[in-house]
């Protein structure tokens, strides 16, 4: 149960804990680590096995994470009072006397839930310095064990979704008589810059720096170890700073990732290392020898989670269909994947003045303020401009004006032709009803490209006519009408699949509301339980049939639906029941979504008349043509969302086939569950079907995906040195963004990070980092929308306009600067958010 620290490196992590394992590895690699010994987790388990320990552990396992506090406090009290077995006590005392008889030691916790790649647990478990004598050592060891159940540690484990009942080892080390100590980061933990070293140091023991008890000397070093920032009369000399930077870089190379290091110089000037762990907060970025800029595909697609491996492979295939257009704007031809975060290399567009403005306009139309950041980088001296004279402008396809004119003249016929074409293509993706797993996989392989490129393959003329008609009308009205007024014309647009989905869910809620017993049952039952009953077919008829009809039409959709690997609502309808519960609580005047939509459509028609009447009589011909184009554009605008809906239907069809293949691989015991195929690509699924066991691979990838999913923020633009350039936001007088949907609304903010299970009260203002179609049912009760990214043609803002709610998007840091419950006023015409009640 007692190991020399140098021996701990050869032991499993669950025996010695994260800190001891790292220190042992550093020792074996030749880094200067103070000698010591480890009281292993086996000792802790032996202590916990006595008395009430087993019962208390069982009690903890039976409660949900958010209710674990009381059980944890009982465990803590137990560990502090239960007797330590005599043989264990003797072994600890003898190891201490061999190390430093009556001398000062450091006693440090080393939990199995500590110093993980995605969660450092910094400061969550106890450390005791200057401990002297066997009695004090035993008491400190016991207190380290008890710190496993401190309130802060239990909450941290619950927040980071790690093991609620880990074990803990304890390290006892010779205490360094520190002249100066502190912490070292081999990358800037604030800016993310990998080429900077940050060092904080103060005289005496390093614990004072780590705990925040003193204000340390702060140093920032450059890539060559030169001091960029720091006091001239601080506790560290240039030679010591250089030595720290050098050892930090060695540790980074050894562990393969930027490190957070604790260090100390003793009175003889010798450097000692007392800890090294991953810096867990750095966002993953592509590595490059030269500085390069990247745009996040995740942000562009409106999702704040990493892609699954299958989803990443599908999105790459989808984007290849856009490669000619995208490369003409300065985007890289291929997408880079770093831990599920996908990036375009945009360095060429940033450096090329001829491409930069077009790239910026494209980026802002979908995910503002990305485009403004691109323009900002173009002025950065680190990205010198390249000559653009030899860059041939992208070839513009000749507009088929005659076909657009036909679409304007007969919009319903033009829309119907697109829908028929889409249905024909989707029918070809259905796949075999009866087939072997090999035949199913072959089918998926054969149609994958067609599914991923269906958006580009659908006829575009009617869709283009819908957008172009509004643009031409705006030009005809220029000088008499501003852009936001033209945008207001496109509220309540018909034939949009996403809007129709939201209204279908509202109708299902309305039917349930009429049945008092069903209404009460739904509101009193958890969404997860309702989903299980739905799949089992045991819900009250009005709920069962209403949700089944909804899923038949829209079960292909989901939050983050562009990721092929994400379960659809048909697979797991729990989010649908959460949204239904939200809608069923929306009662009162003005809350009927269908009525609101009809009113928005009527108001838009009246707006067309009002705007075109502003032209003088002498320009009557322009007014007549503008009115015609706006009305026809409204009839065709719903097609904006149709290609994406077709893609989701195609994805759902292929998922059905792949999951059946996954079931066959599970039966062969090469995967644990059918859904594991989403953590492979198609080539690997083929290998699994042929006999290769992928269980370990999938388990690792799933842990990585879950780790990355917990990241709180996703930067839209990042540089290869780790920095995330951003536009400064001043919340003093309010916030500004892109005016995306006209109107003004005042209400209490509701900041939501995940729509699945979220609730928004009628009249509240939805504030989110980004949205995709899976968020839009929340728009039915929201008074307005604010997002950190988004553009005029992104899915969320398109649907917000059609539901008639004001929207301001591309507001940097909105989810941090606005808090739930805060009263804000959103002006979707001016693109502003003001705090407090709007003056009248």
């Amino acid at each position: 149960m007692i190991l020399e620290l140098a021996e701990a490196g050869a032991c499993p992590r669950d025996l010695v804990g994260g800190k001891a394992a790292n220190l042992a590895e550093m020792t074996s690699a030749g880094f200067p680590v103070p000698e010591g010994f480890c009281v292993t987790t086996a000792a802790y388990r032996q202590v916990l096995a006595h008395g009430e320990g087993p019962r208390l552990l069982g009690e903890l396992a039976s409660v949900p994470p958010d209710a674990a506090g009381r059980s944890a406090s009982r465990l803590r009290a137990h560990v502090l009072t239960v007797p330590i077995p005599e043989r264990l006590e003797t072994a600890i005392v003898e190891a201490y006397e061999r190390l430093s008889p009556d001398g000062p030691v450091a006693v440090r916790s080393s939990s199995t839930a500590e110093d993980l790649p995605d969660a450092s647990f910094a400061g969550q478990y106890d450390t005791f310095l200057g401990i002297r004598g066997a009695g004090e050592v035993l008491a400190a060891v016991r207190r380290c064990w008890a710190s496993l159940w401190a309130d802060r540690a239990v909450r941290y484990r619950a927040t980071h979704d790690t093991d609620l009942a880990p074990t803990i080892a304890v390290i006892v080390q010779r205490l360094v008589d520190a002249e100066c100590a502190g912490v070292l980061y081999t990358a800037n933990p604030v800016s993310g810059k990998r080429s900077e070293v940050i060092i904080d140091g103060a005289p005496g023991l390093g614990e004072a720096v780590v705990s925040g008890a003193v204000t340390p000397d702060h140093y920032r070093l450059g890539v060559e170890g030169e001091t960029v920032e720091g006091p001239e009369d601080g506790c560290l000399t240039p030679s010591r700073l250089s030595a720290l930077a050098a050892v930090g870089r060695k540790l980074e190379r050894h562990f393969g990732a930027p490190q957070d290091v604790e260090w100390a110089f003793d009175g003889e000037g010798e450097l000692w290392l007392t800890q090294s762990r991953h810096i867990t907060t750095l966002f993953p970025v592509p590595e490059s020898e030269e500085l390069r800029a990247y745009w996040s595909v995740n942000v562009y697609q409106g999702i704040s989670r990493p892609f699954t491996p299958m989803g990443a492979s599908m999105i790459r295939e989808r984007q290849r269909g856009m490669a000619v257009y995208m490369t003409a704007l300065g985007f890289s031809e291929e997408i880079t994947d770093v831990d599920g975060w996908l990036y375009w290399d945009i360095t060429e567009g940033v450096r090329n003045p001829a491409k930069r403005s077009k790239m910026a306009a494209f980026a802002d139309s979908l995910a503002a303020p990305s485009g403004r950041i691109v323009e900002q980088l173009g002025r950065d001296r680190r990205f010198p401009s390249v000559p653009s004279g030899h860059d041939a402008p992208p070839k513009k396809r000749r507009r088929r004006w005659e076909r657009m004119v036909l679409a304007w003249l007969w919009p319903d016929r033009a829309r119907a032709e697109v829908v028929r074409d889409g249905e024909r293509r989707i029918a070809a993706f259905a796949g075999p009803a009866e087939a072997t797993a090999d035949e199913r996989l072959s089918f998926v392989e054969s149609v994958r490209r067609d599914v991923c490129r269906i958006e580009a393959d659908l006829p575009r003329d009617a869709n283009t006519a819908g957008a172009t008609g509004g643009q031409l009308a705006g030009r005809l009205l220029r000088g008499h009408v501003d852009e936001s007024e033209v945008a207001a014309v496109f509220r309540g647009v018909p034939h949009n699949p996403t809007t129709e989905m939201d209204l279908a869910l509202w109708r299902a809620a309305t039917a349930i509301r009429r049945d008092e017993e069903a209404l009460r049952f739904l509101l009193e039952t958890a969404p997860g339980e309702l989903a299980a009953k739905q799949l089992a077919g045991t819900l009250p008829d009005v709920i069962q049939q209403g949700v089944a009809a909804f899923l038949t039409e829209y079960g292909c959709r989901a939050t983050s639906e562009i990721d092929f690997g994400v379960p659809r609502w048909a697979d797991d309808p729990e989010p649908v029941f959460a949204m239904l519960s939200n809608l069923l609580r929306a009662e009162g005047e003005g809350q009927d979504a269908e009525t609101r939509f009809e009113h928005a459509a009527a108001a838009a028609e009246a707006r067309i008349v009002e705007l075109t009447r502003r032209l003088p009589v002498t320009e009557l011909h322009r007014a007549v043509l503008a009115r015609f184009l706006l009305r026809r554009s409204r009839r065709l605008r719903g097609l904006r969302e149709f290609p994406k809906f077709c893609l989701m239907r195609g994805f759902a069809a292929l998922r059905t086939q792949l999951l059946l293949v996954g079931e066959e691989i599970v039966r062969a015991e090469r995967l644990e569950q059918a859904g594991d195929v989403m953590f492979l690509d198609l080539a690997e699924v083929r290998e699994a079907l042929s006999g290769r066991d992928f269980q370990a691979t999938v388990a690792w990838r799933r842990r990585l995906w879950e780790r990355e999913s917990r990241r709180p923020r996703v930067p839209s633009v990042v540089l290869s040195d780790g920095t995330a350039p951003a536009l400064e936001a001043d919340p003093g007088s309010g916030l500004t963004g892109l005016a995306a949907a006209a109107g003004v609304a005042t209400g209490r903010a509701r900041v939501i990070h995940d729509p699945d299970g979220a609730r928004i009260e009628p009249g509240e203002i939805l504030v989110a980092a980004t949205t995709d179609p899976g968020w839009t049912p929340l728009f039915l009760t929201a008074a307005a929308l604010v997002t950190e990214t988004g553009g005029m043609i992104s899915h969320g803002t398109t649907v917000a306009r059609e539901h008639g709610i004001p929207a301001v998007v591309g507001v940097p840091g909105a989810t941090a600067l606005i808090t739930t419950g805060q009263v804000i006023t959103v002006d979707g015409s001016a693109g502003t958010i003001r705090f407090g009640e709007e003056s009248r």
Side-chain angles (χ1 to χ4, degrees), residues 542-573:
V542 67
I543 303 176
Q544 185 76 39
Q545 294 171 12
V547 173
F550 177 81
L551 294 175
T552 297
E553 190 72 20
Y554 301 107
C556 61
R557 312 216 77 161
T559 305
S560 303
E561 63 186 13
I562 196 67
D563 182 351
F564 182 93
V566 170
R568 309 291 108 172
W569 287 337
D571 303 324
D572 177 13

Side-chain angles (χ1 to χ4, degrees), residues 557-604:
R557 312 216 77 161
T559 305
S560 303
E561 63 186 13
I562 196 67
D563 182 351
F564 182 93
V566 170
R568 309 291 108 172
W569 287 337
D571 303 324
D572 177 13
E574 181 176 348
V576 174
F577 284 102
M579 291 184 291
L580 273 174
S581 179
N582 188 57
L583 296 180
L584 287 169
R585 289 182 170 89
E587 294 184 304
E589 187 177 353
Q591 290 306 313
D592 187 286
E594 286 194 286
T595 302
R596 285 170 54 184
F597 189 79
E598 291 168 2
H599 288 172

Side-chain angles (χ1 to χ4, degrees), residues 104 174-180 204-205 264-268 270 272:
R174 180 178 58 81
L175 184 69
V176 177
D177 183 14
E179 180 183 274
C180 179
L205 296 173
F265 283 100
D266 64 19
E268 304 298 320
E270 189 170 356
W272 296 94

Side-chain angles (χ1 to χ4, degrees), residues 316-658:
R316 281 201 200 90
E317 184 62 52
R318 176 182 182 265
Q319 298 307 123
R320 287 187 188 112
M322 301 170 58
V324 173
Y325 175 73
M326 299 295 282
T327 54
L329 297 180
F331 292 88
S332 59
E333 185 170 343
E334 288 293 328
I335 290 172
T336 300
D337 183 347
V338 185
D339 295 345
W341 303 106
L342 307 186
Y343 298 98
W344 271 301
D345 188 326
I346 59 171
T347 311
E348 182 184 351
V350 167
R351 297 183 62 190
N352 189 321
K355 295 182 177 181
R356 188 186 310 134
S357 61
K358 294 172 184 161
M359 172 185 279
F362 175 82
D364 263 352
S365 71
L366 290 159
S370 302
R372 282 180 285 163
I373 295 173
V374 168
E375 294 281 14
Q376 185 174 282
L377 287 175
R379 299 188 293 271
D380 191 322
R381 287 180 296 179
R382 296 175 299 170
F383 291 98
S385 294
V386 295
S388 56
H390 299 294
D391 291 309
K395 293 182 180 180
K396 293 184 178 180
R397 295 184 179 180
R398 185 175 63 87
R399 284 187 172 177
R400 298 183 175 92
W401 287 101
E402 65 280 7
R403 296 188 182 180
M404 282 199 289
V405 169
L406 291 174
W408 289 327
L409 289 172
W410 294 284
D412 293 336
R413 181 191 301 173
R415 181 177 54 80
E417 288 176 358
V418 177
V419 171
R420 278 196 299 272
D421 188 89
E423 294 294 338
R424 177 183 60 80
R425 293 175 186 274
I426 291 167
F429 304 150
E434 299 292 335
T436 65
D438 183 81
E439 290 168 341
R440 292 186 192 282
L441 182 56
S442 295
F443 171 78
V444 171
E445 291 168 336
S446 69
V447 301
R448 171 199 183 200
R449 183 181 183 278
D450 292 337
V451 170
C452 290
R453 303 193 185 188
I454 189 172
E455 296 159 293
D457 292 340
L458 285 170
R460 301 183 186 182
D461 299 310
N463 202 334
T464 304
T468 306
Q471 294 169 1
L472 292 177
R475 293 177 191 172
L476 291 168
L477 297 172
R478 189 174 295 163
H480 303 277
V481 173
D482 62 38
E483 288 185 15
S484 65
E485 290 179 304
V486 175
V489 166
F490 299 107
R491 299 171 67 176
V493 166
H495 311 305
N496 181 322
T498 305
T499 308
E500 289 175 340
M501 174 189 76
D502 298 338
L503 294 176
L505 191 63
W506 177 264
R507 284 190 288 272
T510 301
I512 294 168
R513 186 180 282 113
R514 295 193 190 105
D515 186 322
E516 291 186 9
E517 186 176 341
L519 173 62
R520 185 169 54 254
F521 179 81
L522 191 146
L523 293 178
E524 293 176 355
T525 307
E529 184 179 345
L530 290 166
K533 290 180 178 293
Q534 172 73 33
L535 294 174
T538 59
L539 287 172
D541 286 348
V542 67
I543 303 176
Q544 185 76 39
Q545 294 171 12
V547 173
F550 177 81
L551 294 175
T552 297
E553 190 72 20
Y554 301 107
C556 61
R557 312 216 77 161
T559 305
S560 303
E561 63 186 13
I562 196 67
D563 182 351
F564 182 93
V566 170
R568 309 291 108 172
W569 287 337
D571 303 324
D572 177 13
E574 181 176 348
V576 174
F577 284 102
M579 291 184 291
L580 273 174
S581 179
N582 188 57
L583 296 180
L584 287 169
R585 289 182 170 89
E587 294 184 304
E589 187 177 353
Q591 290 306 313
D592 187 286
E594 286 194 286
T595 302
R596 285 170 54 184
F597 189 79
E598 291 168 2
H599 288 172
E605 174 59 31
R607 194 69 164 162
I608 291 174
V609 175
E610 190 269 324
L611 294 180
T612 54
R613 280 179 176 170
R614 293 186 190 177
L615 272 68
V617 175
T618 54
E619 299 183 23
L620 181 60
H621 61 291
R622 292 176 61 191
V624 171
L625 182 55
R627 189 176 301 183
F628 170 82
L629 289 170
L630 288 173
R631 285 174 173 163
R632 291 306 193 262
S633 183
R634 278 183 54 80
R635 300 272 286 276
L636 296 168
R637 279 287 177 112
L639 286 172
R640 161 73 178 86
E641 295 287 301
F642 182 72
K644 173 80 176 296
F645 185 48
C646 289
L647 177 66
M648 292 306 102
R649 292 174 65 188
F651 272 12
L654 263 60
R655 278 180 55 86
T656 298
Q657 297 295 322
L658 271 180

Side-chain angles (χ1 to χ4, degrees), residues 698-777:
V698 166
W700 181 84
R701 288 178 182 175
R702 190 181 288 277
R703 286 195 299 271
L704 176 65
W705 183 86
E706 290 170 350
R707 180 192 86 188
E708 292 301 314
S709 295
R710 291 194 289 271
R711 291 194 180 274
R713 308 190 74 77
V714 184
S716 60
V717 178
V718 294
L719 306 184
S720 55
D721 68 1
T723 56
L727 302 175
E728 294 184 1
D730 178 11
S733 59
L735 305 173
T736 59
L738 177 67
V744 178
T746 298
R748 295 195 180 278
R750 174 74 66 174
V751 179
I752 295 178
H753 298 286
D754 185 345
D756 292 346
R759 180 177 171 185
I760 185 165
E761 299 290 343
E764 289 184 328
I765 293 171
L766 172 58
V767 182
T770 186
T771 61
D772 74 350
W775 287 74
T776 59

